[in-house]
Amino acid sequence: AQKITQTQPGMFVQEKEAVTLDCTYDTSDPSYGLFWYKQPSSGEMIFLIYQGSYDQQNATEGRYSLNFQKARKSANLVISASQLGDSAMYFCAMREGSTSGTYKYIFGTGTRLKVLA
Amino acid sequence: DAGVIQSPRHEVTEMGQEVTLRCKPISGHDYLFWYRQTMMRGLELLIYFNNNVPIDDSGMPEDRFSAKMPNASFSTLKIQPSEPRDSAVYFCASSWSVAGNYEQYFGPGTRLTVT
């Protein structure tokens, strides 16, 4: 079973509009972390935002926010006011394993976002 | 500050040859990770170290792969012998546990092509 599921292989959004990239996860670990990374065509992986499982509030970083719905096990990334430079591949990832002390980092398959002028 | 440094950036080798990928983590970081990215399998964690000690190598595909971290500022990933199916981009990442969020800083990657 997939631990991290990103159901949108590709998305389009008009410049200056907001877009939501979906991510659902599966874990039985009570303490876990959720991440979003951006990978532009140049190939580097850029950290965007982090949400801890015990965090009460949704994480925000500039134009990025994470819509964390724990009961639904979803951690959607919201990008506000899209820019052309946001066109990239976006990966959702999870860190679990705090109870065992051996962490597992699992990445989703990614969503390719294209921002249209 | 310099980020995670990987070398070489590109490597082309013939099947059967030994390949060594190198990584220098960010100074002060206590975790180091090796990932492999392919179109078919996405981004996979191969192995990670904490304070130079390998913690989980369950992602290493087979015995042809080995990784070492002799000190806090250097790690290698070795493939011997290499096969065409090892062609991928290999990323090294480091993180600092004290930071709390366990954010991983990725290197630029090494694109490996095995012919």
Side-chain angles (χ1 to χ4, degrees), chain B residues 14-66:
Chain B
E14 291 184 349
M15 182 174 63
Q17 297 297 306
E18 177 180 296
V19 175
T20 299
L21 311 181
R22 297 172 175 81
C23 175
K24 176 178 169 55
I26 293 173
S27 177
H29 282 191
D30 54 347
Y31 280 85
L32 184 139
F33 307 83
W34 282 101
Y35 289 90
R36 178 173 68 176
Q37 186 177 33
T38 61
M39 287 295 293
M40 290 297 294
R41 300 178 67 88
L43 197 63
E44 303 171 281
L45 176 63
L46 300 178
I47 184 172
Y48 77 90
F49 297 81
N50 179 218
N51 292 322
N52 313 340
V53 176
I55 302 300
D56 184 3
D57 64 354
S58 59
M60 296 285 261
E62 47 198 275
D63 292 346
R64 297 184 296 106
F65 286 69
S66 63

Side-chain angles (χ1 to χ4, degrees), chain A residues 38 47 84 91 97 111:
Chain A
K38 172 184 178 181
F47 167 78
L84 295 177
F91 291 96
T111 295

Side-chain angles (χ1 to χ4, degrees), chain A residues 65-78:
Chain A
S65 60
L66 199 152
N67 184 0
F68 181 47
Q69 298 188 46
K70 198 169 182 177
R72 294 185 176 185
K73 293 190 174 179
S74 74
N76 299 339
L77 176 71
V78 180

Side-chain angles (χ1 to χ4, degrees), chain A residues 35 37 39 42-47 50 89 91 95 101-109 112, chain B residues 9 31 33 35 37 42-43 45 48 55-56 58 91 95 100-108:
Chain A
F35 305 79
Y37 285 86
Q39 187 176 40
S42 51
E44 72 268 33
M45 294 286 286
I46 303 167
F47 167 78
Y50 167 82
M89 193 74 152
F91 291 96
R95 182 199 78 244
T102 301
Y103 293 103
K104 294 286 186 185
Y105 287 82
I106 306 123
F107 280 74
T109 52
R112 186 169 298 281
Chain B
R9 294 292 308 276
Y31 280 85
F33 307 83
Y35 289 90
Q37 186 177 33
L43 197 63
L45 176 63
Y48 77 90
I55 302 300
D56 184 3
S58 59
F91 287 101
S95 69
N101 63 5
Y102 299 89
E103 171 189 342
Q104 296 184 27
Y105 293 81
F106 280 75

